């Protein structure tokens, strides 16, 4: 285990209704489906999970030890269609209340299109990164012109925070698991003769 806590913060704003790549499937649905698939094999190794829809601020899975069935139910509770603005700064301010009682390292998976309403979230994110043992993994659906600036902002938070393009996140499950645990592999060579 390389993290003790995992917080998933979902953008369910109207911009998440855009289709993913060349599919006819909304980005919000692709994220939900992919995380449901990953949940089906995630090991119970004592990591606390929290699942939040930050657009309307609803805690779908309050901080508690990972439970496959309850996480699946929380992911099922995500809306099928996004709506409204993206109050990212407000969401990060509320995130602090979740971070305060946690111990150990926390991985925050933040789904964002690089757009936000209600002021820049950069200062809040920097304060959280400096005050808590937290790594931000920003899963970005931002357009190329905004992604470069977003990447620089995320990289400035701390050494463990990073921006992950949405397509890479979907195609590379290790971006989730690698932030939470390492797989130890050993070999025992057995010699036999016939």
């Amino acid at each position: 285990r390389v993290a003790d806590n995992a917080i998933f913060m979902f953008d369910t704003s109207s911009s998440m209704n855009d289709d993913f790549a060349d599919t006819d499937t909304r980005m919000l649905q692709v994220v939900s489906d992919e995380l449901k698939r990953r949940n089906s094999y995630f090991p119970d190794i004592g990591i606390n999970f929290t699942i939040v829809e930050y657009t309307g601020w609803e805690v779908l899975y309050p901080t508690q030890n990972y439970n496959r069935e309850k996480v699946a139910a929380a992911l099922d509770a995500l809306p099928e269609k996004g709506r409204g603005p993206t109050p990212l700064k407000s969401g990060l301010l509320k995130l602090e209340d979740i971070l305060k009682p946690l111990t150990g390292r926390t991985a925050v998976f933040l789904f964002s299109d690089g757009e936000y309403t209600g002021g820049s979230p950069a200062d809040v994110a920097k304060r959280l990164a400096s005050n808590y043992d937290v790594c931000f993994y920003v899963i970005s659906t931002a357009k190329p012109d905004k992604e470069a600036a977003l990447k620089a902002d995320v990289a400035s938070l701390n050494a463990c925070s990073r921006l992950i393009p949405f397509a890479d996140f979907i195609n590379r499950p290790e971006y989730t698991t690698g932030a939470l645990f390492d797989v130890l592999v050993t070999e025992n060579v057995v010699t036999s003769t016939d």
Side-chain angles (χ1 to χ4, degrees), residues 23-87:
T23 70
D24 289 330
T25 308
R26 291 184 183 110
M27 286 187 283
L28 184 58
Q29 188 63 49
V30 172
V31 169
S32 175
D33 291 346
E34 181 60 23
L35 289 177
K36 287 175 189 175
R37 187 180 72 74
R38 292 179 192 187
N39 181 50
S40 71
Y41 62 78
F42 191 85
D44 186 356
I45 54 176
I47 295 177
N48 293 314
F49 267 50
T50 308
I51 299 175
V52 175
E53 175 195 345
Y54 72 83
T55 304
W57 193 261
E58 182 177 358
V59 179
L60 303 172
Y61 187 85
T63 305
Q64 59 189 291
N65 198 354
Y66 168 78
N67 176 289
R68 180 170 285 118
E69 291 76 27
K70 289 180 180 179
V71 167
L75 293 171
D76 283 339
L78 285 169
E80 290 184 18
K81 187 174 182 181
R83 69 175 136 256
T86 311

Side-chain angles (χ1 to χ4, degrees), residues 4 8 11 36 41 47-48 61 69 79 88-89 91 98-99 118 120 128 130 132 136 141 146 154-156 159-160 174:
D4 302 288
F8 294 84
D11 176 0
K36 287 175 189 175
Y41 62 78
I47 295 177
N48 293 314
Y61 187 85
E69 291 76 27
L88 182 53
K89 181 177 180 177
I98 294 173
L99 291 172
S120 173
L128 294 176
S130 67
Y132 301 94
F136 285 94
T141 60
K146 290 197 182 286
V154 173
S156 73
C160 64
E174 63 269 22

Side-chain angles (χ1 to χ4, degrees), residues 15-27:
S15 60
M16 290 298 283
N17 292 328
D18 293 345
D19 289 342
F20 172 61
D22 294 330
T23 70
D24 289 330
T25 308
R26 291 184 183 110
M27 286 187 283

Side-chain angles (χ1 to χ4, degrees), residues 52-183:
V52 175
E53 175 195 345
Y54 72 83
T55 304
W57 193 261
E58 182 177 358
V59 179
L60 303 172
Y61 187 85
T63 305
Q64 59 189 291
N65 198 354
Y66 168 78
N67 176 289
R68 180 170 285 118
E69 291 76 27
K70 289 180 180 179
V71 167
L75 293 171
D76 283 339
L78 285 169
E80 290 184 18
K81 187 174 182 181
R83 69 175 136 256
T86 311
L88 182 53
K89 181 177 180 177
S90 172
L92 290 174
L93 288 168
K94 292 176 182 175
L95 172 64
E96 187 163 20
D97 289 335
I98 294 173
L99 291 172
K100 280 179 184 175
L102 298 179
T103 58
R105 172 149 293 178
T106 300
V108 175
F109 297 91
L110 175 67
F111 294 84
S112 174
D113 61 3
E115 302 285 341
Y116 52 83
T117 53
S120 173
D123 290 339
V124 178
K126 285 179 184 174
R127 184 173 51 78
L128 294 176
S130 67
N131 292 345
Y132 301 94
D133 186 5
V134 61
C135 300
F136 285 94
Y137 298 89
V138 178
I139 317 306
S140 171
T141 60
K143 305 285 189 254
D145 60 327
K146 290 197 182 286
E147 191 160 288
L150 184 58
K151 186 174 187 176
D153 286 345
V154 173
S156 73
L157 296 177
N158 56 26
C160 64
S161 294
R162 64 201 50 189
L163 180 119
I164 304 168
F166 187 71
D168 290 348
F169 178 80
I170 296 301
N171 295 320
R172 307 271 311 268
E174 63 269 22
Y175 279 126
T176 308
T177 55
L180 301 175
F181 64 88
D182 285 330
V183 177

